[in-house]
Amino acid sequence: MTRRAPLAMLLAAAAVLLLVFSALDVAAVPAHPAGVSEERRVLVFAVPGLTWKDIDSPALPNLRALLDDSAVANLATRVTGVVAEPGEAYLTLGTGTRAVAPRDVAGMSFQADEPFGATTAADEHARQQGAPTDAEVVALGWTLITQANEVAEFGGSIGALGQALADEGVTRGVVANADGADPLVPGEPIHREAALGLADESGAVGCGQVSPALLVSDDAAPFGVRLDETTVVAAATRCSTPRSVVLVEASDLRRALAFRPRATTELAEVARVDALAATDQLLGALLEELDLERDAVVVLAPSTLPDPGLGVVGVRAAEVPAGYLSSGNTRRDGYVLLSDMAPSIAGLIGVELEESGLEGRTVQAVGSSTGGAERRAQLVEGESAALFRDRVLEPVVLSVVISVSVLALVAAVALLRGWAWARTWLERAALVLIALPSMTYLAALLPFHDWGVAAYWSFLVIGSLIVGAAAAVLRGRWLRPLVLAYGLVIAVVVLSVAILGSRLQVATVFGDSPIVAGRFTGINNVTFAFFFLAASVLACVAVEQIHGVAGRRLMIGLLGAVLLVDVAPMWGADVGGALAGVPAVVLLATGLGRWRVRWRTLALIGLATVALVVGLALLDLTRDSADRSHLGRLFERIGNDGSSGLTTVVERKLAVNIRSLTESSWRYIFGPLAIAGGLVAWRGGARVASVLTAFPALRRGGPGLIALAVLGYGANDSGIAVPAAMLASLVPGLVYLACRAQPEEPVA
């Protein structure tokens, strides 16, 4: 075997396996449904703040019956924050990409003939846009909204849905008015953000009604007004011509939610129940005007304001089987993004949106044999698990940071002062902390969102103690406990993404939050850190325990397999993992294999990384657009938008990366570890030398570990969380090694 053969073996094996498995994944892409009737009408019924728990209410028989015959999902509505503002929610709905809408102008939509200043809203719109319009509804804040999005980090073309429909001759209508003359909020009585959902590129909607003509006085209603059902239905029917899309907002729900902080709990609940009943009655009246054998209905909650959570979404159409919705963004049944609704609504009327700058993907229906009640219960469970995950995230992260920091500081002091009695306890504590991340993933198998926080913490602590105790039993062979503890991390991640469809990633603290909506499948950034760190340690153990060619082959096979699982589109689908993992793994393998690193080697590593990423992207591009992973969509965007498509993504990730330096709780780990490291550097040279003597592979693998941390920080938008999570897993391993390898007791 030549000096370069192992490196070539690693790269070739990984590339071949990726090509084979990616090709298999391409063959499994399902076909999309056929075209739709030229007479179809699409009703988009917006129900702000509605959750799946509400659907079983006796006040909602029409809505419940409709959704039971629909394909349904939890809707992730996050835009700039976990809870989307109505303006940015509706603008995202109409853009197909996350978009921002300044709150003070987002609701400034008017009937064209409505008085505005000395003239009318139509005249003001003409002054702003430089041309008159015959549209019935105009958004007078459109210019300011456009300017805000030009400097925002998301890209996209606002009004893409409305403009595409207009270009294809589809009638667009909006009927909504959430105005509330609240004396406690002077200057904010106008809330007509719903018009942004179907506005074209000039901020206009051809048909509709948003003026106070939709409202009637009602002393019992929040802010003294409510929708007039007859007027709303008449306005919607007027716009609902053959080949039309009409958005109707249940604006009474908006007023009920705004009223809640200003009323007693009992009165607020009565107001919301009344609004739900009125909403259901309105839906029933609207459905009477449609032919459900031909027309389509989309029910969605574009925002969960004021509470974090997941919204309701359902699609009822003749070609859509009752079941669950999914999309290329989530690749998980029962979850879709708000940005997915723009291409989906367009598809229901037979219009295809331009993919340039488009974040959303057309939703797909997955038929289900379960009834509507069972599907609702499953979606409620999904939201409950997501809310529970977000609630325990910060305490778990801080607990890990504090525990690892205390372990490092105590170990530094104890080992420097020769406290032999502390070694056994530190050793066992280290093994417990290595096992902890695995238990957080396995917790997804049990309904802790029903059992509560105490049960969750008990599972984490007891499970970690059991694994630590099992590893300690193997202490006769000093590296085997590390193999068990770190091997469990690898086994759990592989089990999740390769066998369980990423089930252990969803709604787990170090996995993915459906509410944050960063990922729904595959390997996320923090999991990448734990996964690759564990693999790196085991690779060091492999060459240490199995000498010669066999050990190097085992090391290469392990690293190649981990890389394959991480970057393969049907498993990890980790773009950042490819960018950071490939060069780091090759550098690690080179060091552990005792092969020399030359500038030519580094250049080959860079070329191999680029070639692998490009190859994966090209394979991903052969799949249907709705099913492409993050990498394929990135290259798709570059193909459509040129270099600006890449710079938009890079700038957004860089901004999030930089914010992590001051916002992530993981950052607190660096100070204590720096102090512990300083103590060891000051007086602990003998201990360090003993560890490196007993475990020399650690020295050879050091450059690869450093590269993994640095590249992981730069290539992933979680930023500082990646190297911090690596340290949280590596430091306990180092403490264990320091406890076992003493100068006075050299280990053979």
Side-chain angles (χ1 to χ4, degrees):
M1 181 178 292
T2 66
R3 288 183 176 273
R4 286 188 289 271
L7 178 59
M9 182 192 305
L10 174 63
L11 295 176
V16 169
L17 288 172
L18 285 169
L19 290 171
V20 170
F21 283 110
S22 295
L24 291 175
D25 193 40
V26 169
V29 175
H32 287 294
V36 298
S37 168
E38 288 293 325
E39 300 295 312
R40 166 168 281 182
R41 298 172 292 177
V42 176
L43 169 65
V44 180
F45 192 62
V47 280
L50 189 74
T51 68
W52 283 107
K53 289 184 291 187
D54 296 322
I55 303 302
D56 286 322
S57 168
L60 299 175
N62 293 315
L63 189 55
R64 184 166 54 252
L66 177 69
L67 292 174
D68 283 351
D69 289 335
S70 304
V72 295
N74 275 316
L75 181 65
T77 62
R78 177 177 179 263
V79 182
T80 58
V82 173
V83 181
E85 292 284 341
E88 63 185 14
Y90 281 112
L91 192 64
T92 296
L93 171 66
T95 301
T97 298
R98 284 173 289 171
V100 298
R103 187 176 185 181
D104 55 346
V105 298
M108 300 292 288
S109 294
F110 296 86
Q111 210 66 25
D113 58 0
E114 207 172 341
F116 188 87
T119 55
T120 65
D123 293 332
E124 178 61 26
H125 183 267
R127 280 191 288 270
Q128 293 180 7
Q129 301 298 323
T133 179
D134 58 359
E136 294 185 4
V137 177
V138 291
L140 297 187
W142 194 256
T143 301
L144 295 175
I145 292 172
T146 301
Q147 293 171 359
N149 281 276
E150 287 174 351
V151 298
E153 59 191 44
F154 303 117
S157 302
I158 64 171
L161 173 60
Q163 190 60 48
L165 296 177
D167 291 343
E168 293 295 325
V170 177
T171 301
R172 294 168 295 126
V174 60
V175 183
N177 186 300
D179 293 357
D182 186 355
L184 298 179
V185 188
E188 285 195 10
I190 299 178
H191 290 291
R192 307 170 188 178
E193 295 88 350
L196 303 179
L198 291 180
D200 60 21
E201 62 185 12
S202 70
V205 182
C207 184
Q209 179 62 263
V210 297
S211 77
L214 292 175
L215 306 177
V216 293
S217 298
D218 186 341
D219 293 339
F223 311 122
V225 293
R226 61 172 174 80
L227 289 177
D228 180 67
E229 179 186 312
T230 302
T231 306
V232 171
V233 173
T237 302
R238 180 173 57 83
C239 298
S240 184
T241 60
R243 203 155 189 256
S244 62
V245 176
V246 178
L247 189 157
V248 177
E249 181 190 61
S251 304
D252 287 339
L253 284 174
R254 287 275 308 275
R255 275 183 285 272
L257 291 171
F259 180 66
R260 191 172 74 181
R262 298 166 176 80
T264 65
T265 302
E266 294 76 10
L267 286 176
E269 182 59 24
V270 169
R272 187 164 189 269
V273 171
D274 289 344
L276 286 172
T279 295
D280 191 75
Q281 187 172 324
L282 173 62
L283 175 64
L286 292 169
L287 292 178
E288 290 179 0
E289 303 296 325
L290 299 177
D291 177 3
L292 293 183
E293 295 299 318
R294 177 198 62 197
D295 301 327
V297 181
V298 177
V299 176
L300 62 87
S303 173
T304 63
L305 192 75
D307 301 317
L310 296 169
V312 168
V313 64
V315 177
R316 171 70 168 83
E319 73 275 12
V320 178
Y324 293 102
L325 292 172
S326 180
S327 81
N329 277 314
T330 64
R331 295 193 295 166
R332 179 167 295 282
D333 296 350
Y335 295 93
V336 299
L337 304 185
L338 180 60
S339 58
D340 293 330
M341 300 316 299
S344 304
I345 292 170
L348 287 172
I349 202 69
V351 174
E352 185 174 351
L353 293 188
E354 291 287 338
E355 293 182 348
S356 176
L358 191 67
E359 185 179 64
R361 288 296 180 266
T362 304
V363 299
Q364 296 174 320
V366 181
S368 173
S369 59
T370 60
E374 290 84 356
R375 293 197 295 273
R376 292 197 303 274
Q378 187 68 31
L379 296 174
V380 169
E381 286 287 306
E383 184 190 34
S384 297
L387 290 170
F388 180 82
R389 178 266 182 195
D390 289 357
R391 188 164 71 249
V392 299
L393 171 63
E394 197 76 0
V396 172
V397 171
L398 289 176
S399 296
V400 170
V401 167
I402 293 171
S403 299
V404 172
S405 299
V406 170
L407 176 72
L409 291 170
V410 172
V413 174
L415 294 177
L416 292 180
R417 300 196 61 176
W419 292 347
W421 60 269
R423 288 170 51 193
T424 300
W425 293 104
L426 288 170
E427 175 187 327
R428 292 176 178 174
L431 294 173
V432 170
L433 287 177
I434 295 172
L436 180 61
S438 300
M439 304 314 299
T440 65
Y441 296 113
L442 293 174
L445 298 174
L446 298 171
F448 288 108
H449 53 278
D450 292 330
W451 296 351
V453 174
Y456 178 75
W457 278 106
S458 298
F459 175 82
L460 295 188
V461 173
I462 294 173
S464 300
L465 288 172
I466 291 173
V467 175
V473 171
L474 304 173
R475 71 188 308 272
R477 296 296 297 271
W478 77 301
L479 291 179
R480 286 187 178 178
L482 292 183
V483 173
L484 175 60
Y486 284 114
L488 181 61
V489 175
I490 294 176
V492 166
V493 175
V494 172
L495 172 69
S496 177
V497 301
I499 299 176
L500 299 181
S502 301
R503 180 183 173 188
L504 305 185
Q505 283 282 112
V506 177
T508 53
V509 291
F510 297 135
D512 305 315
S513 167
I515 295 174
V516 174
R519 259 183 182 271
F520 291 82
T521 59
I523 292 177
N524 71 347
N525 298 335
V526 174
T527 303
F528 160 84
F530 289 134
F531 190 44
F532 272 80
L533 189 279
S536 300
V537 173
L538 293 189
C540 293
V541 173
V543 297
E544 194 64 41
Q545 294 291 284
I546 304 175
H547 300 293
V549 174
R552 290 195 292 268
R553 286 178 175 172
L554 177 59
M555 173 266 295
I556 290 174
L558 173 65
L559 293 177
V562 166
L563 186 62
L564 168 66
V565 171
D566 182 71
V567 304
M570 68 291 189
W571 290 337
D574 185 8
V575 179
L579 295 173
V582 173
V585 161
V586 174
L587 187 60
L588 179 66
T590 302
L592 294 179
R594 298 178 182 272
W595 300 297
R596 285 179 294 179
V597 178
R598 302 175 178 176
W599 287 111
R600 182 173 59 186
T601 306
L602 295 176
L604 287 174
I605 292 174
L607 290 174
T609 303
V610 173
L612 184 59
V613 171
V614 172
L616 287 171
L618 293 177
L619 281 170
D620 209 11
L621 287 173
T622 64
R623 307 197 302 176
D624 188 87
S625 176
D627 300 304
R628 291 170 187 159
S629 67
H630 291 76
L631 183 60
R633 293 201 299 274
L634 172 61
F635 275 67
E636 173 189 293
R637 188 163 186 172
I638 294 172
N640 291 328
D641 300 343
S643 61
S644 64
L646 176 63
T647 57
T648 298
V649 174
V650 171
E651 288 172 0
R652 182 171 72 241
K653 288 184 175 294
L654 181 61
V656 176
N657 197 310
I658 293 174
R659 285 200 299 269
S660 73
L661 296 173
T662 58
E663 296 178 359
S664 174
S665 297
W666 284 105
R667 71 187 188 276
Y668 298 120
I669 201 173
F670 293 100
L673 294 188
I675 295 173
L679 290 174
V680 173
W682 176 42
R683 296 287 299 276
R687 267 54 176 190
V688 173
S690 68
V691 172
L692 295 178
T693 299
F695 195 41
L698 189 62
R699 185 196 302 272
R700 301 198 304 272
L705 291 173
I706 294 173
L708 188 64
V710 173
L711 294 174
Y713 167 78
N716 295 289
D717 52 15
S718 291
I720 203 66
V722 174
M726 287 183 58
L727 284 173
S729 186
L730 176 63
V731 167
L734 296 177
V735 170
Y736 170 84
L737 292 173
C739 289
R740 296 302 307 277
Q742 292 295 310
E744 65 274 16
E745 300 176 15
V747 179

